[in-house]
Amino acid sequence: MENKNEFAFGRKNYLFMIVGLVVLAIGFIIMTLDAEPYGEGFMGITLGPIILVIGFIIEFFAIMVKDRKKA
C-alpha cells in the first residue's frame, strides 16, 4: 500500500520551481522597467522576454527532473 503523505515531487523539484518562479518574476519586472513608451525599448522587447524564456525552461526542467530519493 502506498504512503498517502508523499508529495508528487521531491525537494530538488520544489527548489527548482521556486528558482524558476523568481526568474519569471524578475523577467516581468525587467519588462516593466523599460523607459521607452509602451515598453518598446531593449529591456521590454529583448531582455525581459529572454529572461522569461529562461524562467520557463527552468520550470520545465523542475517538472521533468527525477529526484534520486523518489526513484
Side-chain angles (χ1 to χ4, degrees):
M1 185 170 221
E2 283 188 36
N3 186 3
K4 294 189 182 208
N5 294 331
E6 217 171 279
F7 288 111
F9 297 114
R11 182 171 194 250
K12 184 176 173 181
N13 299 90
Y14 287 115
L15 289 175
F16 277 121
M17 285 182 194
I18 291 170
V19 169
L21 287 174
V22 169
V23 171
L24 286 171
I26 290 170
F28 281 116
I29 291 169
I30 287 173
M31 288 172 56
T32 62
L33 293 177
D34 199 358
E36 296 293 321
Y38 304 108
E40 293 179 351
F42 172 75
M43 289 174 61
I45 290 184
T46 306
L47 185 61
I50 289 172
I51 301 296
L52 287 176
V53 168
I54 292 170
F56 282 117
I57 290 170
I58 293 171
E59 288 295 326
F60 179 76
F61 180 74
I63 293 170
M64 298 306 284
V65 71
K66 192 154 189 106
D67 199 8
R68 292 179 190 223
K69 292 180 183 176
K70 303 278 292 174

